Amino acid sequence: MNPATDEPRRPIGIRSMGTYLPSRVRGNREVARDTGVTQEWIVERTGVRTRHAAAPHEAASDMAASAVRAALAAGGLDAADLGLLVCATSTPDELGPSTACRVQHLLGADHAVALDVGAACSGWLFAVKVAHDWLAAGGRARYAAVVGVEAYSKFLDPHDRGTSVLFADGAAAAVLAPVGPHQGFTDFEFGSDGSLADSVLIPGGGSRHPASARTLADGSHHIRMDGRTVSRFIRDVFPRLVRDALARNRLTLDDIACVIAHQPNPVLLRRLSRQLGIPDERFVVVGDTVGNIGAASAPYALATAAARHALTPGDRVLISVFGAGMTWGSALLTWTGAPAVRIRPTSLPDEADPPASPSPTAPASTAPAPRTEQYTP
């Protein structure tokens, strides 16, 4: 109910989606060389085969803006139509202002209120809840863009096998809008456990350890992760999110057309999904080709499901996210047939490794050019 009017709140769902991947591809040959492991070790332990890295001049806001533009194009909308812009990221352009404000300016979304949500890899769904309630409460805003973006490559120690093999860059966005009865998002559930905050973090550069010669020397500006603690957390929280969401709504897996999850490690995810009894064809895995793109992982997987025509209007989608903090969340979504536009480099063979620092005289074909793919239901 809307507390201000005692009227039922209008349902809010996804109008359209867009994704963006930067052009530089880091294959396992390059990553194995830098981390001192083999390509086979990376695939066996993680399932990741390729990942994308932003260009030196490319910040989180640039990638986020590209993803939002793609989502607007898919929905036949203009940036001026947006009343709200929420950006979920743990790798902002700066500590302040909000990266969302940078995105707003890049888009020319002059009518949009812009703000960031920080919940690490769970951030996109947390941001969706903010936008959902904002729109559902009424008011002038009719469309909201919610984008998850990470520029992890800027914060990686290339020699740390625990992080460099997994984390990557990318952005994915959804435009939220009012939808018809019995459609859109329902049954949000969220949680946090700050006692595990040190398990994944970038310790340097904030108010506790401001940037200095010391933090630079000891590598505090790099992502640090306690892999064993994080794996235990995922093994506990992902199955619990799925089971609890089904139980709350008196559903079974047979009622779910598609399960979308954060993508920290494809090998671990596939093992857990099979233990839960989720059929492979209804569990979307994208981390093998893009790695862990943090707050962009879940929306990228959802856009991929739409692009593969795996979703049809009326399908129930179960979304589960989890990340640093620790944070977690879930939601049910009744799909409306939202179209998607994806911007990504041209295809490369598995294990392809373009030069890390292309020569100015190298032929243009060594750098994959972006392409746009549009999917409509």
Side-chain angles (χ1 to χ4, degrees):
M1 300 292 287
N2 186 331
T5 63
D6 291 329
E7 296 178 354
R9 299 207 302 179
R10 55 185 178 179
I12 303 298
I14 292 179
R15 165 70 179 259
S16 57
M17 299 199 72
T19 69
Y20 171 82
L21 295 174
S23 292
R24 170 151 152 66
V25 180
R26 296 177 66 233
N28 281 345
R29 187 181 303 120
E30 174 188 336
V31 175
R33 180 192 66 222
D34 292 342
T35 56
V37 298
T38 65
Q39 297 179 58
E40 292 75 20
W41 185 94
I42 295 174
V43 173
E44 290 171 4
R45 298 293 186 92
T46 73
V48 180
R49 295 181 179 275
T50 56
R51 55 206 66 66
H52 296 255
H57 65 276
E58 200 170 29
S61 63
D62 300 309
M63 293 187 287
S66 293
V68 175
R69 286 192 195 100
L72 290 169
L77 299 170
D78 186 82
D81 296 319
L82 295 176
L84 179 66
L85 172 62
V86 190
C87 179
T89 186
S90 52
T91 54
D93 286 21
E94 307 91 5
L95 290 178
S98 293
T99 297
C101 290
R102 298 286 192 194
V103 178
Q104 181 213 34
H105 177 66
L106 288 169
L107 294 172
D110 298 337
H111 305 300
V113 177
L115 62 120
D116 282 1
V117 168
C121 298
S122 304
W124 181 77
L125 193 60
F126 279 60
V128 164
K129 183 64 163 72
V130 172
H132 173 277
D133 290 1
W134 192 297
L135 295 177
R140 290 183 296 177
R142 180 169 176 80
Y143 300 106
V146 183
V147 59
V149 61
E150 303 295 356
Y152 282 138
S153 66
K154 315 274 187 179
F155 301 92
L156 285 175
D157 175 354
H159 305 295
D160 178 15
R161 70 182 186 183
T163 57
S164 187
V165 301
L166 293 170
F167 291 98
D169 302 348
V175 174
L176 271 59
V179 294
H182 312 297
Q183 295 181 328
F185 285 98
T186 59
D187 191 56
F188 290 100
E189 185 75 11
F190 297 97
S192 305
D193 181 1
S195 69
L196 297 174
D198 287 339
S199 299
V200 191
L201 77 166
I202 302 172
S207 60
R208 184 171 301 280
H209 301 291
S212 66
R214 181 185 61 80
T215 63
L216 188 64
D218 65 18
S220 294
H221 57 292
H222 291 142
I223 299 171
R224 293 182 180 175
M225 181 172 69
D226 178 346
R228 291 181 179 176
T229 297
V230 171
S231 293
R232 285 196 299 269
F233 168 74
I234 295 169
R235 290 196 299 269
D236 170 69
V237 75
F238 175 45
R240 177 161 50 86
L241 285 170
V242 172
R243 291 176 179 135
D244 288 356
L246 294 175
R248 280 194 309 273
N249 293 276
R250 299 181 180 180
L251 300 172
T252 70
L253 283 172
D254 291 337
D255 300 308
I256 304 298
C258 183
V259 177
I260 300 293
H262 171 51
Q263 305 279 314
N265 179 311
V267 168
L268 177 58
L269 277 185
R270 285 191 173 100
R271 182 165 69 245
L272 293 174
S273 70
R274 287 165 183 164
Q275 290 173 0
L276 284 165
I278 303 172
D280 287 352
E281 65 273 14
R282 283 191 269 151
F283 186 63
V284 181
V285 177
V286 295
D288 45 4
T289 58
V290 300
N292 180 348
I293 50 177
S297 291
Y300 186 88
L302 182 58
T304 299
R308 290 174 180 168
H309 299 280
L311 296 177
T312 59
D315 280 347
R316 281 197 188 98
V317 180
L318 174 56
I319 303 171
S320 60
V321 294
F322 30 89
M326 294 292 199
T327 57
W328 60 87
S330 67
L332 283 174
L333 170 65
T334 301
W335 192 245
T336 55
V341 167
R342 301 195 295 172
I343 302 173
R344 58 182 183 171
T346 51
S347 297
L348 290 172
D350 284 348
E351 309 301 333
D353 284 281
S357 301
S359 164
T361 59
S365 60
T366 62
R371 74 168 182 265
T372 299
E373 300 172 341
Q374 183 162 359
Y375 298 88
T376 55

